[in-house]
Amino acid sequence: MHLSGIMYFWMSAARKSILGGISFRLDVCAYSAVPVVFFAPEFVMTISAGMIVYVSWTFLCIIYIMPGLMAAGGNDHPVVAPIPRPQRQAMARTKMLTACMLMEADTVGVIYDYNRARAGVAMAVEYVNDYVMIDGYYLRVLFRDIGPECSGKTHIVGHAMDLMQQSIRCDVYIGPGCGLAAESLNDYAEFYDIPIIGCPSAGLGYSAPASVYTVTARISITYSTIADALLRFFKHFNYTTPFFLEDTSLTLFQQMGTLVKTTIRQRDTSLYYASKWETFQSDGLTLESIHRLMDNASDVSRVIVLFAAADVVRKILIVADTMGMTGGDYVYVGIELYNSNVWGVFDWKRNDSHSKEAKEAFRSLLVLSIDMGVTDETVNFWRRAVEESQKKYNYTMENPGKIDPVVTHFYDAIVLYANMVKSMTRKGQSFLNGVEFASFVGGYTFFSPVNGNVSFNNDSDRVFNFKMLSLNTDTGKFDVREHKHVLSCVS
C-alpha cells in the first residue's frame, strides 16, 4: 500500500488511542480542484495532547494538500472534476455517483494522457449531468495520477485501496490507459464487483485472454479490433500466409503485436498456424539485419505486416526496394490509426539521399487507419477542448490542428456511463454490478454528441470502421483507395 494509505491508517489509530478523549473531523472538500482537509477539535484536555493533534494534522496536510499545490500534481491525491454550477443546488437531494479515473499523466510515446483528455472529461461531466443522468442521480469524476509509465507494476491497486480507505466509493473506474495496469485493476475490481470502462486499455489481454477480465468494457482503441480489421483484409484478398514483423523496442508495438497474434489465434486457427511471426529491435537495426528479415519474409509470404513506427517502416522498405521486393509482388501494411507522433509520419520524403527509393517503395505500402467520421460536432468539440485545456488547465495540446480521437473517447466514456445508468435502471438491472455492467455493454449502442452512434461488439469492445490508405502518386500523400469497404463495421 502507498505511504498515504499507511498514514491514513496511522491517523485513524492515533485518533482512537493516542488522543483519547479528543476527537477531530476530516472532511474532503468535494468542489475544489485540490483536496482540502478541515481540522475541528471538539475540546483540548492538555497542551501536550493539543500538540499531538497539531503535528498529526500538519503531516496529513503535507500528504494530501501539498501535492495538489505542486506543478506536477503528484500521484497520491484525488482531483475532483469541476461540477457545473447550475447543478450544485441539487446536490443535497440527489445520490452522488463517483467515477474514479485512475490514469497516467505526463506520458511519452503512448496514445493516452490525462492532461490531454482533462478538458474533454470536464465537458462530458457537465453534459451528462444536464441532459443524460436520470432523476435522483448525479455524477462526479475523481482523478488519480498513477504515473507516466505503462506497467503492471504501477501500483494501481494501491491507488484504488487508498481511495477506499478515504471512504471514497468508486461506482465505476475509468481508465487506465495501459493494458497491463488495466489487468491488475480488473482483478481488484472483480473482488468488489465494480465496473471498469477501459480507456483505452488497448493492451488488456496481454497476460491472459481478454475474456477473463469480466468487469471491463472498453470505449477506445483496442489491439484486438486491429486484428479483426487485418483478418477481414486477409480474407478479402485471400492472403493465407501473412508475415508479421514486431518491433519490441517500443512497448506500444510490442503489446500490439502480441495482442494481434493472440486474437488471430482465437479467431482463425488455420491462418494463425500458416502465418509467420518475427520480432526485431529498431534501436539496433542494421542493413544486414533488415536483409535477413526480408529474406525470411520472402520465403513464406507476399504480405508483410509491420508493427513499427513510420521511420522504421521507411528504413525497411528502402532496403526491400534494393532487394527487388517493392515492384508489386509484395504488399506491406503499416499502422497509423490517426495522425499522431506516436505512430510517426508515413511520408517517403526526408532530408536524406533515399527519398527517390522510398517513394518507389511506398507504392507497395498500405496504412491501416481508423475511419473517424469527423462531423461539425467533432470539430467544435476539439476546438473547445484545445481552448479550455490552455485557459483552464494551462496545458497546450500537441498538434492542436489535428483531432485526437482518444480524447473524444474519454468524453464518450463519461457519456457511456450515464447512459448505462439510465438503461440498466430501466431494465431492472444493477449498474453497480461489475459483471452485469460489462455484459450489458456487449451489443449496446448509445448516442455521443461528439461521435454520433457508438456501438460495442459481443466482447464489450467498441466497434470501429477501419480504412486502408495507399499512396496517391499525384499528391504524394496517403489517402483512401479501393479498400475502405473491405474493413467497414469491424465487430
Side-chain angles (χ1 to χ4, degrees), residues 35 44 56-57 76 99 130 167 186 209 227 241 262 278 330 339 437 453-454 464 475:
V44 178
S56 301
W57 175 81
D76 280 322
D130 285 343
S167 298
N186 184 95
T241 59
T262 300
E278 195 158 334
Y330 295 86
N339 190 283
F437 184 98
N453 287 332
V454 177
F464 286 99
T475 64

Side-chain angles (χ1 to χ4, degrees), residues 306-373:
L306 300 160
F307 297 116
D311 285 345
V312 177
V313 172
R314 181 177 182 270
K315 186 183 295 185
I316 291 173
L317 286 178
I318 289 172
V319 175
D321 184 68
T322 65
M323 299 172 65
M325 295 178 62
T326 59
D329 292 332
Y330 295 86
V331 174
Y332 301 86
V333 178
I335 310 293
E336 186 189 22
L337 297 186
Y338 57 93
N339 190 283
S340 169
N341 290 339
V342 171
W343 322 104
V345 179
F346 281 85
D347 190 347
W348 54 268
K349 192 181 299 183
R350 293 285 192 278
N351 292 323
D352 59 26
S353 60
H354 301 295
S355 290
K356 182 178 180 180
E357 302 97 299
K359 184 177 182 180
E360 291 301 315
F362 269 40
R363 295 174 186 271
S364 301
L365 176 65
L366 298 175
V367 178
L368 180 67
S369 299
I370 292 174
D371 187 6
M372 292 175 56

Side-chain angles (χ1 to χ4, degrees), residues 361-388:
F362 269 40
R363 295 174 186 271
S364 301
L365 176 65
L366 298 175
V367 178
L368 180 67
S369 299
I370 292 174
D371 187 6
M372 292 175 56
V374 175
T375 64
D376 290 342
E377 288 75 17
T378 315
V379 173
N380 291 335
F381 164 82
W382 182 248
R383 184 184 300 113
R384 183 180 168 193
V386 170
E387 292 174 354
E388 295 195 3

Side-chain angles (χ1 to χ4, degrees), residues 11 63 76 121 133 147 170 228 254-255 313 351 394 422:
M11 287 297 296
I63 295 172
D76 280 322
V121 170
M133 293 295 292
C170 296
D228 288 332
Q254 180 185 25
Q255 291 188 7
V313 172
N351 292 323
N394 195 31
K422 181 167 59 177

Side-chain angles (χ1 to χ4, degrees), residues 26 83 126 131 188 206 215 222 366 371 373 381 416 461 471:
L26 301 176
I83 296 174
E126 182 176 0
Y131 301 108
Y188 172 84
Y206 186 82
V215 298
T222 70
L366 298 175
D371 187 6
F381 164 82
L416 167 64
D461 290 337
L471 184 67

